[in-house]
Amino acid sequence: KQWYQRRVRGGLSSAMSAAKAIGDHIHDWWFGTQPGQWTSMGVASDGSYNIPEGVIYSFPVTIDSDRNWKVVQGLAQDDFATEKMKLTYDELLEEATAAASL
C-alpha cells in the first residue's frame, strides 16, 4: 500500500484507536524506526512531495536512535495521492488564514 493509505485498523473504538496511534507514535519517536521501516509524522516540510517549505505536514519519516527524523524520499505517488495531498495542503492553508484572522 502507498504511504498515504496507512491507518489504524481493527475494531477499536475511535478513542481507543486514537490512544493506540498516540502510543505507537511516541514509541517510534522514542525508540526510532526499525531499519527499512518508516512512520508518518507531522513535521516542517523541507519541500518534499511538493509541499512548500516550512508547512507542518504529515510525511513518511525514519527516526534514528538519537530521535532525529528524516523525510523518506522517493515513495510512489500516483495522481490520486498528489490530488489528495494538494487538497490537504489547501485545507491547512485555509485553516491557517482563518486562525490568523481571530
Side-chain angles (χ1 to χ4, degrees):
K1 293 188 178 202
Q2 293 181 343
W3 66 271
Y4 60 87
Q5 293 177 320
R6 289 180 43 164
R7 292 183 172 82
V8 175
R9 297 181 191 250
L12 298 175
S13 70
S14 58
M16 285 300 294
S17 292
K20 180 174 181 347
I22 291 167
D24 291 347
H25 184 79
I26 297 301
H27 178 275
D28 289 341
W29 199 356
W30 187 258
F31 294 105
T33 51
Q34 296 297 314
Q37 299 290 311
W38 52 265
T39 190
S40 296
M41 182 182 284
V43 299
S45 176
D46 59 3
S48 295
Y49 299 96
N50 297 315
I51 302 301
E53 190 172 335
V55 173
I56 305 300
Y57 199 91
S58 182
F59 289 100
V61 298
T62 56
I63 306 166
D64 66 23
S65 60
D66 293 325
R67 300 182 191 97
N68 298 308
W69 55 267
K70 181 179 177 185
V71 174
V72 177
Q73 300 297 322
L75 295 179
Q77 185 177 338
D78 60 17
D79 291 341
F80 177 80
T82 300
E83 178 183 338
K84 294 301 180 186
M85 290 178 71
K86 169 98 171 69
L87 287 171
T88 299
Y89 169 73
D90 290 345
E91 288 175 7
L92 288 171
L93 190 59
E94 185 178 308
E95 290 171 0
T97 300
S101 69
L102 296 178

